[in-house]
Amino acid sequence: MQVNLDFNHAAYTIRRYERGSITVQHPLVDPDHPDAPIQRDTNGRPIFQEEVFTRSLILMPQTLIRDWPPQSFAELAAESLNVLLGYPLEIILLGTGARQQFPGLDVTRLFMQKGIGVEVMDTAAACRTYNILMTDGRGVAAALIND
């Protein structure tokens, strides 16, 4: 039996989480031209880099949104998640920081009305769950408060 490893080489994955620090592995792009094609080695394989984030971020398999505005759970508002409305998502993982805290219904209502699930958990759990769902090919976004 032939077994092939099916791996999405252009995906953003979480490599490490420590309180206040999230390490993301992502394809290397020209920092002066972020819309340019992914840099590749001589065999055509994507070149990856790891980047450490100390501010909140949103991560999807093909998209990274740096410096997501809420830097603490207290700053989280319904408008904070509006940036996700244009993406084909099945589920949003909301990492609320060092501990699980539930936002008001106004934060999740719009997504629930559109049939998009919202799971609320601490940021460490959201990081672990994101990697599993992303590898599974699911339409997932991790909105991570990195406090």
Side-chain angles (χ1 to χ4, degrees), residues 119-135:
E119 293 291 331
V120 179
M121 55 193 75
D122 66 68
T123 298
C127 289
R128 292 187 302 270
T129 305
Y130 167 80
N131 275 351
I132 293 167
L133 295 176
M134 183 272 310
T135 303

Side-chain angles (χ1 to χ4, degrees), residues 77-106:
E79 298 77 33
S80 304
L81 293 169
N82 284 346
V83 68
L84 294 173
L85 288 174
Y87 294 94
L89 297 173
E90 298 172 48
I91 189 166
I92 297 168
L93 306 172
L94 179 58
T96 58
R99 63 186 180 90
Q100 182 182 33
Q101 302 176 74
F102 291 94
L105 185 58
D106 62 317

Side-chain angles (χ1 to χ4, degrees), residues 14-120:
I14 297 171
R15 300 291 290 171
R16 168 176 285 149
Y17 169 78
E18 296 174 356
R19 186 167 181 192
S21 172
I22 300 170
T23 304
V24 175
Q25 177 179 291
H26 58 85
L28 182 62
V29 294
D30 183 344
D32 296 325
H33 306 290
D35 294 328
I38 294 169
Q39 295 184 17
R40 299 182 179 277
D41 65 15
T42 56
N43 294 319
R45 293 182 298 239
I47 301 171
F48 288 92
Q49 65 182 6
E50 288 187 0
E51 187 173 352
V52 178
F53 294 89
T54 57
R55 299 184 50 82
S56 298
L57 64 132
I58 294 178
L59 194 61
M60 291 171 269
Q62 302 296 325
T63 306
L64 170 64
I65 299 172
R66 301 172 190 308
D67 295 324
W68 182 44
Q71 294 304 305
S72 68
F73 180 77
E75 296 175 15
L76 181 65
E79 298 77 33
S80 304
L81 293 169
N82 284 346
V83 68
L84 294 173
L85 288 174
Y87 294 94
L89 297 173
E90 298 172 48
I91 189 166
I92 297 168
L93 306 172
L94 179 58
T96 58
R99 63 186 180 90
Q100 182 182 33
Q101 302 176 74
F102 291 94
L105 185 58
D106 62 317
V107 173
T108 58
R109 180 180 291 128
L110 178 62
F111 296 99
M112 291 169 42
Q113 290 171 345
K114 293 183 175 285
I116 299 170
V118 179
E119 293 291 331
V120 179

